[in-house]
Amino acid sequence: MTKIKEDFISKKNSIIYAVCGAGKTELVYEVFPDVKETAWYVPGVQFVYDNGLMSGSNGLFNPTADITRAQLVTTLYRLAGEPEVTDRAAVTEFSDLAEGKYYTDAVCWAYATGVTTGTDGKFNPAAKLTRQQMATFFYRYAEYDWRDVTLRGDISEMLNADEVSDYAKDAVEWAVGSGLISGSETKDENGNTVYDLNPRGNTTRAQVAAILQRFCEN
């Protein structure tokens, strides 16, 4: 962790987070050869690296790789300050969760706090995270962290908004209204700028890093 400054405080756990740039000694594009200095996601990657929320693997950050459900839950667990986990019910409830995995404590914490509920008795740790699942994880974490989640954004004019699952609708509208996600900019048949919500598309590590920065600074 870098030098601590009281800018980002978890409301529930009084965890103080490091500030991107405060006492920073390493630039991510010098640490990770696959992170280019001019890339749009550098501020987000720098933030999560400085704050110990995300790290690389085998010397790389893999910004364009799809993030998995286990990886995101582990990141949110770190954001919560990695509290001691005494409730191990998730190991019993999820048939695909076992003790001793890098993500076991994180999933147990997430299940105990309502950050995750799983699907049909499974957590699916290796499954790629969709954009609507990502919004739902952040929405539930915000509830856990005593944040205001009443804000809603209008997604009716966004492309593929009709593909948002019922379980994720509130979360996606909140994520749009909170500025966490905005959709991918594209052009319609008339040349007008529109935004593709793409709720069932996968989420990359770079996108999660950027969203984590927005979430902490909001």
Side-chain angles (χ1 to χ4, degrees):
M1 294 288 281
T2 59
K3 181 180 178 182
I4 299 297
K5 182 178 177 182
E6 296 183 10
D7 276 15
F8 306 117
I9 302 178
S10 170
K11 297 181 179 118
K12 188 177 185 70
N13 297 297
S14 297
I15 301 298
I16 301 176
Y17 302 114
V19 176
C20 179
K24 178 180 61 186
T25 58
E26 297 179 296
L27 298 171
V28 287
Y29 50 80
E30 294 177 351
V31 174
F32 302 113
D34 59 343
V35 173
K36 306 306 179 185
E37 182 177 359
T38 57
W40 67 268
Y41 52 75
V42 165
V45 175
Q46 189 72 61
F47 179 87
V48 297
Y49 180 74
D50 285 348
N51 287 279
L53 299 178
M54 296 176 69
S55 58
S57 177
N58 297 321
L60 301 175
F61 187 79
N62 298 307
T64 61
D66 294 328
I67 197 168
T68 67
R69 288 168 55 85
Q71 289 170 342
L72 181 63
V73 166
T74 300
T75 297
L76 293 177
Y77 180 54
R78 291 170 182 162
L79 183 63
E82 298 184 304
E84 182 181 359
V85 179
T86 57
D87 187 337
R88 317 298 293 182
V91 176
T92 301
E93 294 296 325
F94 297 141
S95 61
D96 55 355
L97 181 66
E99 293 286 4
K101 303 294 185 181
Y102 79 85
Y103 50 79
T104 303
D105 280 357
V107 176
C108 286
W109 162 83
Y111 182 71
T113 57
V115 172
T116 188
T117 58
T119 304
D120 297 326
K122 294 184 177 181
F123 178 71
N124 299 308
K128 295 178 179 179
L129 187 78
T130 67
R131 288 168 57 82
Q132 65 178 0
Q133 288 173 344
M134 178 270 299
T136 302
F137 274 119
F138 273 95
Y139 178 75
R140 291 174 179 165
Y141 183 94
E143 289 182 313
Y144 155 80
D145 202 36
W146 298 345
R147 298 184 182 218
D148 182 3
V149 293
T150 59
L151 185 64
R152 295 290 184 272
D154 182 8
I155 64 173
S156 61
E157 300 300 318
M158 302 179 74
L159 293 180
N160 297 310
D162 58 342
E163 293 186 3
V164 177
S165 300
D166 289 342
Y167 80 85
K169 190 171 185 295
D170 282 345
V172 171
E173 290 181 345
W174 165 80
V176 171
S178 301
L180 295 185
I181 61 176
S182 58
S184 302
E185 184 175 321
T186 185
K187 299 289 184 181
D188 64 15
E189 63 275 10
N190 299 315
N192 299 314
T193 298
V194 291
Y195 294 90
D196 187 357
L197 193 57
N198 191 21
R200 304 194 181 196
N202 295 332
T203 310
T204 67
R205 286 170 54 81
Q207 289 170 341
V208 168
I211 289 167
L212 275 164
Q213 182 179 21
R214 294 170 197 156
F215 184 77
C216 289
E217 293 180 344
N218 189 338

